[in-house]
Amino acid sequence: QQNERLEIMDQVKSDFITIASHELRTPLTQVKGYADILSAMNEDNALSREQTREIVGHINRATMRLEALISAMLDASQIDVDGMHLTFMEARLDTIVRLAMEPLNQAIRERRISFSTQNLETLPPIQADFKRLVQTFTNVLGNAVKYTPDRGSISVEGYLIPSENGEDDHVEIIITDTGIGIDPKYHDLIFEKFFRIGDPQLHSTGSTKFKGAGPGLGLPIARGVVEAHGGHIWVESDGEDEARLPGSRFHMTLPV
Ligand code: ADP
């Protein structure tokens, strides 16, 4: 098992080069291309206000994609170097989940994925780094959206796990999707940097499209944040099957 794991990690390293260069090059090529168009049209005095706005919009979106990738890489490397720097404050899980869903709401409407939460309002507030937890939930919920076909469903349930002495209470959050599921042999590896299941040649086709590939940094960052809070994150799934759709259940525990 250890050997197989080492072999896969070795593969991940070489895939990283493919993924990183592709993920960086695609938006960079777009920026260069649109800048060239802008310049050529400007030379010819052929630019209308509307066209300028459209071309600049493309450049901005490509730049934002580059920024997102670079900041994910920095976040992921921060975990290795000296752990995450957290700023603790009182935070409510229902608010965190609501904010985490904001960038995903349009996609779940378009793809007719139903979304529900249970029991989050009844949980006690926790001491947490609000921004980092929102980022973590966006990563895990974003994956649930990506790997669930249209008309599927995603739910978030919360439980309080009381401790005997009352000083070490935890909350457990379970994010369940009705998606393609994950082969048990990958349940640990998906939390490793740059690991993704499937073909490394696939590149980001969009952050919310069905099976849209990403750089493989979402879950490592999520794990870094959860562990820096003193919690745990793991996944349960019967296996990957696009026809049967066994789904995945991501569990997170966090100290109150
Ligand atoms: P990515 O940028 O590829 O989304 P992640 O670190 O977030 O990277 O996830 C790693 C891999 O784990 C994904 O490429 C995918 O294969 C798998 N995965 C994560 N969440 C799910 C899910 N809810 N259902 C099925 N597969 C998943």
Side-chain angles (χ1 to χ4, degrees):
Q1 232 174 357
Q2 198 61 24
N3 267 341
E4 194 184 355
R5 188 186 163 85
L6 285 174
E7 252 173 55
I8 294 177
M9 288 316 294
D10 218 39
Q11 185 62 39
V12 167
K13 273 197 203 131
S14 55
D15 287 351
F16 161 67
I17 312 286
T18 320
I19 294 167
S21 56
H22 200 117
E23 296 280 330
L24 290 167
R25 184 163 295 141
T26 311
L28 212 54
T29 312
Q30 286 169 350
V31 171
K32 175 96 180 55
Y34 284 115
D36 286 347
I37 295 175
L38 208 54
S39 153
M41 288 177 79
N42 191 38
E43 290 286 303
D44 297 344
N45 264 335
L47 265 180
S48 72
R49 202 174 257 260
E50 190 43 46
Q51 282 167 326
T52 313
R53 189 176 308 132
E54 196 187 318
I55 295 171
V56 171
H58 285 297
I59 293 179
N60 276 335
R61 275 190 295 279
T63 318
M64 266 150 57
R65 217 172 118 184
L66 274 173
E67 256 169 16
L69 178 64
I70 289 165
S71 90
M73 285 174 150
L74 289 175
D75 284 348
S77 72
Q78 201 192 13
I79 301 170
D80 289 345
V81 181
D82 51 358
M84 285 259 162
H85 298 294
L86 301 181
T87 315
F88 285 90
M89 60 178 99
E90 200 169 281
R92 297 198 51 88
L93 264 314
D94 51 348
T95 316
I96 290 173
V97 170
R98 185 164 44 78
L99 291 180
M101 281 305 289
E102 256 171 26
L104 305 168
N105 281 331
Q106 192 187 344
I108 61 170
R109 267 198 307 274
E110 282 169 8
R111 297 195 32 226
R112 299 187 188 275
I113 292 175
S114 75
F115 175 77
S116 63
T117 62
Q118 259 172 55
N119 227 10
L120 296 182
E121 303 75 27
T122 63
L123 296 177
I126 64 171
Q127 287 296 320
D129 186 313
F130 195 81
K131 259 172 82 178
R132 285 292 186 193
L133 274 193
V134 170
Q135 177 188 19
T136 295
F137 276 88
T138 299
N139 290 353
V140 177
L141 287 162
N143 281 340
V145 172
K146 272 199 302 194
Y147 297 100
T148 299
D150 295 6
R151 293 173 199 279
S153 62
I154 297 170
S155 72
V156 186
E157 300 152 66
Y159 300 95
L160 178 65
I161 306 168
S163 58
E164 268 170 30
N165 59 9
E167 281 172 17
D168 194 22
D169 293 356
H170 279 67
V171 291
E172 178 166 358
I173 310 292
I174 306 176
I175 299 175
T176 308
D177 65 54
T178 58
I180 61 174
I182 304 167
D183 189 325
K185 78 174 173 197
Y186 299 132
H187 286 186
D188 286 330
L189 284 162
I190 53 172
F191 294 95
E192 297 289 344
K193 281 196 293 294
F194 299 112
F195 178 82
R196 7 180 262 197
I197 302 164
D199 184 355
Q201 297 289 346
L202 284 176
H203 53 90
S204 301
T205 36
S207 53
T208 51
K209 273 194 198 150
F210 181 48
K211 291 179 70 186
L217 290 171
L219 290 178
I221 292 171
R223 183 176 67 176
V225 172
V226 170
E227 289 183 350
H229 279 85
H232 295 289
I233 180 169
W234 70 98
V235 67
E236 286 176 330
S237 172
D238 289 346
E240 182 178 334
D241 191 332
E242 253 183 72
R244 202 167 49 82
L245 298 173
S248 307
R249 285 161 71 84
F250 280 83
H251 296 251
M252 271 186 248
T253 59
L254 292 162
V256 172

